[in-house]
Amino acid sequence: MSNIAIIFAGGTGTRMGAGLPKQFLQINGKPILIHTLDNFQNSPSIDKIYIACKEEYIEQTEKEIEKYQITKVKGIVAGGATSQDSIFNALSKAREDNDDESVVLIHDGVRPFLTEDVIKANIESVKNNGSAITCTPCYETVILSENGEKIEQVPSRDIAYTAQAPQSFHLGDILNAHLTIRETNPGYIDIVDSCSLLRKLGKDIYIVKGNRGNIKVTTPEDFYILRALLQYKENEQILGL
């Protein structure tokens, strides 16, 4: 049984306005994707990494992995029409070499500010509960609105969380969940992540507390926030804090 990171890096950079997939934008001299992969490469808890990316960027991804010596990568596959298609492709590749009891941590390629404690907590939760959804409590007021104009509900923040990544499961469980969904919903309509996929099937899933800096780079503002966070982290390492 292995502990596996499944990384989906299929972004096009449209919302970033960069003309380059956001995973290849550089911060502190190396691509965001490599910052993300470093977390799993350097983690003693992770044995293997599988990546899904757009087919036209597989060669560039391979070059970056070789350049930065990400040796745990065991496979790179072409992504699909949606992020869930991409994850399914990477899970299928991982299943060729690993047993169903292996733990998979499904993670965004552009969510690099991840701690080792969160990685360990995900693995432990899967072993104990069968699943782990990394979450942080909501500190802002949550508003629900059907039309984006009129407020319908204001849920209590005490029971509200924001789902992040990793989202983690036993390999066989999450792959079988994908296969079941694809029979009736091959386009993954209304399924935005693994958490919503499992909930569609009525499965119990469990929360793991995440670190608040573990943002996903989607907009230019996210890029600058992440750059500041990574610079802070590097300064801490230099100073031995």
Side-chain angles (χ1 to χ4, degrees):
M1 184 179 74
S2 300
N3 296 326
I4 301 163
I6 298 289
I7 309 297
F8 57 103
T12 60
T14 302
R15 280 175 286 185
M16 289 291 293
L20 181 74
K22 54 192 174 182
Q23 59 267 27
F24 296 117
L25 295 177
Q26 294 209 352
I27 295 179
N28 296 347
K30 61 183 177 183
I32 293 174
L33 176 61
I34 298 300
H35 283 288
T36 300
L37 292 174
D38 277 343
N39 293 307
F40 299 102
Q41 174 70 22
N42 297 330
S43 171
S45 304
I46 297 297
D47 303 303
K48 302 175 183 179
I49 301 170
Y50 295 84
I51 301 171
C53 68
K54 286 192 172 296
E55 189 168 10
E56 58 266 36
Y57 290 107
I58 289 178
E59 184 176 353
Q60 183 172 350
T61 301
E62 290 173 338
K63 289 179 180 178
E64 299 291 359
I65 286 167
E66 182 178 1
K67 177 180 178 181
Y68 291 99
Q69 300 180 358
I70 310 297
T71 58
K72 290 183 181 178
V73 174
K74 304 304 178 184
I76 303 174
V77 298
T82 68
S83 61
Q84 294 308 305
D85 281 309
S86 299
I87 291 168
F88 174 73
N89 292 348
L91 289 168
S92 298
K93 179 63 177 177
R95 184 61 185 83
E96 294 176 5
D97 309 311
N98 302 278
D99 63 61
D100 285 348
E101 290 303 305
S102 294
V103 176
V104 293
L105 288 75
I106 300 170
H107 196 74
D108 306 286
V110 288
R111 199 187 286 272
F113 201 73
L114 177 66
T115 68
E116 175 66 13
D117 286 345
V118 173
I119 292 174
K120 288 180 178 178
N122 270 259
I123 293 170
E124 192 66 20
S125 180
V126 172
K127 289 180 177 178
N128 292 334
N129 304 312
S131 63
I133 305 297
T134 305
C135 297
T136 54
C138 285
Y139 294 102
E140 306 277 2
T141 299
V142 178
I143 299 295
L144 300 184
S145 173
E146 291 285 347
N147 61 11
E149 296 178 1
K150 179 183 176 182
I151 293 174
E152 309 290 344
Q153 296 182 51
V154 184
S156 170
R157 286 184 300 184
D158 294 340
I159 60 170
Y161 294 81
T162 300
Q164 300 180 329
Q167 299 189 2
S168 308
F169 313 90
H170 288 296
L171 175 56
D173 290 344
I174 187 62
L175 188 52
N176 287 335
H178 272 270
L179 290 169
T180 299
I181 287 290
R182 290 168 75 89
E183 289 178 359
T184 57
N185 185 4
Y188 292 101
I189 304 301
D190 294 329
I191 295 175
V192 297
D193 60 4
S194 301
C195 178
S196 56
L197 187 150
L198 268 293
R199 289 302 299 160
K200 287 283 187 183
L201 297 175
K203 303 292 186 181
D204 290 333
I205 43 183
Y206 292 83
I207 290 174
V208 164
K209 186 177 180 180
N211 56 294
R212 292 226 351 124
N214 185 20
I215 64 172
K216 179 181 178 182
V217 178
T218 304
T219 68
E221 290 83 1
D222 298 329
F223 177 85
Y224 293 117
I225 292 169
L226 177 63
R227 186 170 67 178
L229 287 169
L230 290 174
Q231 187 61 61
Y232 177 77
K233 182 179 180 181
E234 286 191 6
N235 288 342
E236 278 192 324
Q237 291 171 342
I238 291 170
L239 295 173
L241 299 177

